[in-house]
Amino acid sequence: MTCRTLTVPIQAGRLKLTVRHEDLPVERCLTYATRQNPRRLYLFVSKVLGKHWPVRPSVMRDIHVRLAAKIAALPGPLLVMGMAETATALGRGVAEEAASRAGRDDVVYLQTTRCRLSRPLAFAFDECHSHAPDHAVYLPDPELQPLFRAARSLVLVDDEISTGRTLVELARAYLRFNPRLEQIALASIANWLDADRRRELALLLGRPVGFPALIEGGFQFEPDPDFPAPALPVVGAVADRAHDGIAMDPACTGVLAGRWRSAVASAFPAMVNGGNPSERPLAVIGTGEYAYTPFRLALALEEAGYDVRFQSTTRSPILIGDAIASRREFPDHHGDGIPNYLYNLDADRLPVIIYEHAAMPAAHALPGLLGGLAFAVEESCRAS
């Protein structure tokens, strides 16, 4: 495809994109916004990720399938890791599709998390540009540890890669754990690394590194000198509060991909709108890192004939304007006193909020703020 350039104004300045490759058109996958973060003012807002922008679940699954096809033949055991919080549904979706479509039983999925659990830690690392930099990776349950410790291929999944620095930190941490690892893939919807940076990352990691992506190119950000630097939100977090007993997502401690099951999924369409798809259209909402099961429930609704969009709450503070038409702020669902946000909610849709723990719908502020429905379903999905 012919290389093309795009110039995109945002509140904080101007993004100049050079697009070298597109599996799907950039305009279908990305839009742009301004972060409430002086360390990095621009934001690529994915239209297909299910985070800041509502998306049809089938479109989201197509992204998973497309990326999975690029990594499904890597030698196993294959360890796939998704980055909290933005890429948890994407990472697990890629792992699930790669395992199920290739008929593999050696694909482990594990996501980074900001939850604090009383269980052995494999390693931790920082995302230096982030408003919430600490990531933890916990040891999987004993039955998955042989695959986790013996992976031949490591796939790290994020929505977009601009410098690769955070993913390199994660890969190096895993390499100290498993120095026999043979190859690495840094998978993303959009990859902005040039050839020199890709070679540099491969040298840093000492192994072959692939870069499967749907969009490839480069960008420059020109800040507007007159734009006032925004202050980060004030966070009154509860110090060292453990999340044992409330963080129910099994992906925080590892799952064998390709075996996702939910007793709720088949019955869920009958639980919404009285089982009548012709009633009010729906907005299914995941909560923070807990996004894959909510996405699958949204997909079940779409497959049952409902008009549904999927998105997730987030810690990421983004300014209204550009691609952000609306912003709702509320305390986090884990009770840590951390501001959370929901962007671009369609007011004409009935909100259906999906939580990971049964106590959350009654305790969290979001159901009262939005109205609509709230469910907790993860106990039924633990078999995954």
Side-chain angles (χ1 to χ4, degrees):
M1 179 178 288
T2 303
C3 183
R4 65 186 181 112
T5 60
L6 302 169
T7 300
V8 182
I10 60 173
Q11 296 172 77
R14 186 167 60 173
L15 282 160
K16 291 186 173 181
L17 278 61
T18 301
V19 182
R20 296 190 298 269
H21 171 80
E22 300 167 87
D23 281 13
L24 296 168
V26 168
E27 292 82 359
R28 191 188 303 179
C29 295
L30 296 177
T31 184
Y32 315 90
T34 299
R35 296 175 186 260
Q36 188 182 336
N37 183 346
R39 287 178 291 213
R40 181 180 284 187
L41 289 170
Y42 58 87
L43 178 68
F44 294 98
V45 177
S46 172
K47 293 181 176 181
V48 296
L49 183 69
K51 186 52 82 168
H52 312 111
W53 187 276
V55 59
R56 282 206 342 263
S58 57
V59 170
M60 196 169 158
R61 187 173 205 175
D62 178 64
I63 297 300
H64 300 170
V65 170
R66 288 172 180 269
L67 274 177
K70 296 176 184 289
I71 60 97
L74 291 175
L78 172 58
L79 174 61
V80 181
M81 301 183 69
M83 297 294 293
E85 67 176 7
T86 303
T88 54
L90 177 67
R92 186 166 181 187
V94 169
E96 295 286 344
E97 298 293 346
S100 61
R101 290 171 183 263
R104 297 182 62 159
D105 60 2
D106 65 344
V107 180
V108 174
Y109 175 71
L110 181 64
Q111 62 200 35
T112 75
T113 181
R114 295 186 176 105
C115 291
R116 293 178 293 279
L117 304 177
S118 300
R119 61 179 295 135
L121 189 69
F123 42 82
F125 66 101
D126 280 353
E127 187 176 3
C128 60
H129 69 268
S130 175
H131 60 285
D134 296 324
H135 289 256
V137 176
Y138 291 97
L139 277 176
D141 291 332
E143 61 269 22
L144 289 181
Q145 285 193 31
L147 290 174
F148 174 76
R149 295 175 181 275
R152 295 173 62 197
S153 303
L154 172 67
V155 178
L156 305 182
V157 183
D158 212 348
D159 59 319
E160 58 100 9
I161 302 174
S162 53
T163 68
R165 182 166 48 189
T166 301
L167 296 181
V168 165
E169 288 302 311
L170 176 54
R172 291 172 109 173
Y174 180 72
L175 281 168
R176 289 191 288 272
F177 202 85
N178 175 16
R180 297 179 301 279
L181 183 74
E182 295 175 11
Q183 59 185 292
I184 299 166
L186 307 184
S188 60
I189 297 171
N191 187 312
W192 305 117
L193 303 179
D194 62 22
D196 288 342
R197 180 58 175 164
R198 294 182 186 211
R199 284 191 290 269
E200 182 182 354
L201 296 185
L203 287 172
L204 285 170
L205 295 172
R207 282 155 185 77
V209 179
F211 299 89
L214 305 183
I215 295 166
E216 299 181 63
F219 75 93
Q220 292 180 316
F221 175 63
E222 297 178 356
D224 178 352
D226 296 325
F227 181 75
L232 283 167
V234 176
V235 176
V238 178
D240 298 324
R241 184 175 185 271
H243 298 109
D244 296 284
I246 60 172
M248 305 300 295
D249 189 346
C252 289
T253 54
V255 294
L256 191 62
R259 299 186 180 185
W260 188 89
R261 298 290 184 273
S262 170
V264 174
S266 59
F268 195 66
M271 300 163 63
V272 180
N273 277 352
N276 185 356
S278 65
E279 292 291 330
R280 186 176 171 188
L282 307 175
V284 175
I285 300 166
T287 42
E289 296 176 11
Y290 182 62
Y292 185 75
T293 289
F295 149 71
R296 290 293 295 261
L297 296 179
L299 183 66
L301 288 167
E302 184 181 4
E303 290 172 345
Y306 284 81
D307 178 355
V308 59
R309 298 293 183 271
F310 177 76
Q311 62 187 111
S312 309
T313 65
T314 176
R315 288 186 178 194
S316 299
I318 312 171
L319 297 179
I320 292 178
D322 308 316
I324 303 301
S326 66
R327 160 174 150 160
R328 296 169 185 262
E329 181 174 344
F330 44 90
D332 70 282
H333 52 287
H334 283 152
D336 290 339
I338 297 172
N340 273 216
Y341 308 91
L342 183 65
Y343 299 104
N344 293 325
L345 180 67
D346 185 343
D348 293 332
R349 293 179 176 273
L350 177 69
V352 181
I353 309 165
I354 310 296
Y355 290 98
E356 60 191 306
H357 191 278
M360 290 178 178
H364 192 220
L366 189 59
L369 178 66
L370 299 183
L373 307 175
F375 298 91
V377 301
E378 187 53 45
E379 279 300 312
S380 300
C381 303
R382 298 293 282 190
S384 68

